[in-house]
Amino acid sequence: MDFSAVNWLAVIVAAVVAWLFGAAWYMGLSKPWLKAAKLDPATMSKSPLPFVISFIAELVMALVMSLVIGAMTGGELSLVAGLVFGFVLWLGFVATTLSVNHRYQGFGWDLTIIDCGHWLGVLLIIGAVIGWFGAAEVAG
Protein backbone atom coordinates (compact mmCIF):
# COMPACT_ATOMS: atom_id res chain seq x y z
CA MET A 1 0.00 0.00 0.00
CA ASP A 2 1.36 3.39 -1.03
CA PHE A 3 0.98 6.07 1.63
CA SER A 4 3.04 8.66 -0.28
CA ALA A 5 -0.01 10.36 -1.79
CA VAL A 6 -1.86 10.64 1.53
CA ASN A 7 -2.48 14.26 2.37
CA TRP A 8 -1.89 14.06 6.12
CA LEU A 9 -3.14 17.60 6.72
CA ALA A 10 -6.42 16.63 5.03
CA VAL A 11 -6.66 13.50 7.19
CA ILE A 12 -6.22 15.52 10.39
CA VAL A 13 -8.59 18.31 9.33
CA ALA A 14 -11.21 15.77 8.23
CA ALA A 15 -11.02 13.97 11.58
CA VAL A 16 -11.27 17.21 13.58
CA VAL A 17 -14.24 18.53 11.59
CA ALA A 18 -15.99 15.13 11.73
CA TRP A 19 -15.43 14.93 15.49
CA LEU A 20 -16.84 18.43 15.97
CA PHE A 21 -19.86 17.48 13.85
CA GLY A 22 -20.42 14.45 16.07
CA ALA A 23 -20.23 16.59 19.20
CA ALA A 24 -22.83 18.98 17.81
CA TRP A 25 -25.03 16.11 16.51
CA TYR A 26 -25.24 14.32 19.82
CA MET A 27 -25.54 17.52 21.88
CA GLY A 28 -28.53 18.46 19.76
CA LEU A 29 -30.04 14.98 19.96
CA SER A 30 -28.90 14.05 23.47
CA LYS A 31 -32.37 13.54 24.98
CA PRO A 32 -33.80 11.37 22.19
CA TRP A 33 -30.49 9.48 21.91
CA LEU A 34 -30.32 8.75 25.65
CA LYS A 35 -33.92 7.50 25.55
CA ALA A 36 -33.33 5.39 22.44
CA ALA A 37 -30.09 3.95 23.86
CA LYS A 38 -31.86 3.22 27.16
CA LEU A 39 -29.23 5.14 29.13
CA ASP A 40 -29.62 7.06 32.37
CA PRO A 41 -27.30 10.09 32.54
CA ALA A 42 -27.12 9.74 36.34
CA THR A 43 -25.45 6.33 36.07
CA MET A 44 -23.19 7.07 33.11
CA SER A 45 -19.43 7.36 33.47
CA LYS A 46 -17.99 10.84 33.00
CA SER A 47 -14.79 9.50 31.42
CA PRO A 48 -13.25 11.35 28.46
CA LEU A 49 -12.15 8.00 26.99
CA PRO A 50 -15.11 7.62 24.56
CA PHE A 51 -14.32 11.05 23.11
CA VAL A 52 -10.66 10.14 22.63
CA ILE A 53 -11.58 6.82 21.03
CA SER A 54 -14.05 8.62 18.73
CA PHE A 55 -11.35 10.98 17.53
CA ILE A 56 -8.85 8.16 16.94
CA ALA A 57 -11.52 6.22 15.03
CA GLU A 58 -12.22 9.24 12.85
CA LEU A 59 -8.48 9.64 12.15
CA VAL A 60 -8.41 6.02 10.99
CA MET A 61 -11.56 6.56 8.90
CA ALA A 62 -10.02 9.63 7.26
CA LEU A 63 -6.82 7.75 6.45
CA VAL A 64 -8.71 4.80 5.00
CA MET A 65 -11.03 7.12 3.05
CA SER A 66 -7.98 8.87 1.60
CA LEU A 67 -6.49 5.54 0.53
CA VAL A 68 -9.77 4.26 -0.94
CA ILE A 69 -10.58 7.43 -2.87
CA GLY A 70 -7.00 7.67 -4.12
CA ALA A 71 -6.94 4.04 -5.26
CA MET A 72 -10.39 4.09 -6.85
CA THR A 73 -9.88 7.39 -8.70
CA GLY A 74 -6.29 6.82 -9.77
CA GLY A 75 -5.17 9.62 -7.48
CA GLU A 76 -7.69 12.12 -8.89
CA LEU A 77 -9.37 13.11 -5.63
CA SER A 78 -12.22 15.61 -5.83
CA LEU A 79 -15.00 16.95 -3.65
CA VAL A 80 -17.61 14.98 -5.60
CA ALA A 81 -15.58 11.76 -5.42
CA GLY A 82 -15.19 12.26 -1.68
CA LEU A 83 -18.92 12.73 -1.19
CA VAL A 84 -19.78 9.74 -3.37
CA PHE A 85 -17.32 7.44 -1.61
CA GLY A 86 -18.42 8.74 1.80
CA PHE A 87 -22.03 7.88 0.99
CA VAL A 88 -21.27 4.50 -0.58
CA LEU A 89 -19.03 3.40 2.30
CA TRP A 90 -21.66 4.57 4.80
CA LEU A 91 -24.43 2.69 3.00
CA GLY A 92 -22.41 -0.46 2.44
CA PHE A 93 -20.83 -0.79 5.86
CA VAL A 94 -22.18 1.57 8.51
CA ALA A 95 -25.93 1.66 7.85
CA THR A 96 -26.06 -2.08 7.34
CA THR A 97 -23.94 -2.89 10.41
CA LEU A 98 -25.87 -0.60 12.74
CA SER A 99 -29.19 -1.88 11.44
CA VAL A 100 -28.19 -5.47 12.16
CA ASN A 101 -26.46 -4.79 15.49
CA HIS A 102 -29.30 -2.69 16.87
CA ARG A 103 -31.85 -5.38 16.00
CA TYR A 104 -29.85 -8.06 17.84
CA GLN A 105 -29.32 -5.70 20.79
CA GLY A 106 -33.05 -5.02 21.06
CA PHE A 107 -32.90 -1.30 20.26
CA GLY A 108 -35.55 0.50 18.26
CA TRP A 109 -35.19 2.13 14.88
CA ASP A 110 -35.00 5.54 16.57
CA LEU A 111 -31.47 4.76 17.82
CA THR A 112 -30.48 3.38 14.42
CA ILE A 113 -31.70 6.52 12.67
CA ILE A 114 -29.87 8.84 15.09
CA ASP A 115 -26.62 6.87 14.95
CA CYS A 116 -26.79 6.29 11.18
CA GLY A 117 -27.41 10.01 10.66
CA HIS A 118 -24.32 10.79 12.69
CA TRP A 119 -22.10 8.38 10.76
CA LEU A 120 -23.51 9.56 7.42
CA GLY A 121 -22.53 13.10 8.35
CA VAL A 122 -19.09 11.95 9.51
CA LEU A 123 -18.33 10.02 6.32
CA LEU A 124 -19.66 12.77 4.05
CA ILE A 125 -17.54 15.34 5.90
CA ILE A 126 -14.43 13.16 5.81
CA GLY A 127 -14.95 12.40 2.12
CA ALA A 128 -15.57 16.05 1.27
CA VAL A 129 -12.48 17.27 3.13
CA ILE A 130 -10.24 14.54 1.70
CA GLY A 131 -11.56 15.21 -1.81
CA TRP A 132 -11.36 18.98 -1.48
CA PHE A 133 -7.76 18.93 -0.22
CA GLY A 134 -6.72 16.41 -2.86
CA ALA A 135 -3.71 14.15 -2.84
CA ALA A 136 -0.38 15.19 -1.37
CA GLU A 137 2.18 16.56 -3.76
CA VAL A 138 4.65 13.77 -4.34
CA ALA A 139 8.21 14.90 -5.01
CA GLY A 140 9.56 13.29 -8.10
Side-chain angles (χ1 to χ4, degrees):
M1 182 145 309
D2 180 17
F3 289 85
S4 65
V6 171
N7 186 328
W8 293 101
L9 178 61
V11 167
I12 293 167
V13 169
V16 168
V17 175
W19 190 89
L20 292 171
F21 165 78
W25 179 267
Y26 283 110
M27 282 178 18
L29 294 171
S30 62
K31 287 182 182 176
W33 181 80
L34 286 166
K35 181 180 177 191
K38 303 173 185 171
L39 294 172
D40 179 3
T43 61
M44 292 173 61
S45 168
K46 304 295 189 230
S47 170
L49 188 58
F51 301 101
V52 173
I53 292 170
S54 296
F55 182 71
I56 292 168
E58 287 162 355
L59 273 172
V60 171
M61 287 178 169
L63 173 60
V64 170
M65 181 83 74
S66 178
L67 293 169
V68 167
I69 298 171
M72 296 301 292
T73 64
E76 298 296 321
L77 284 73
S78 70
L79 178 65
V80 171
L83 290 169
V84 168
F85 279 101
F87 177 77
V88 169
L89 293 172
W90 169 82
L91 181 63
F93 296 104
V94 177
T96 54
T97 301
L98 287 177
S99 295
V100 171
N101 285 359
H102 287 168
R103 298 303 69 76
Y104 278 108
Q105 295 165 344
F107 291 112
W109 283 102
D110 47 351
L111 181 63
T112 306
I113 290 167
I114 292 169
D115 286 346
C116 279
H118 163 253
W119 289 114
L120 174 60
V122 164
L123 287 170
L124 289 175
I125 289 166
I126 288 173
V129 170
I130 296 295
W132 184 57
F133 271 69
E137 296 295 324
V138 179

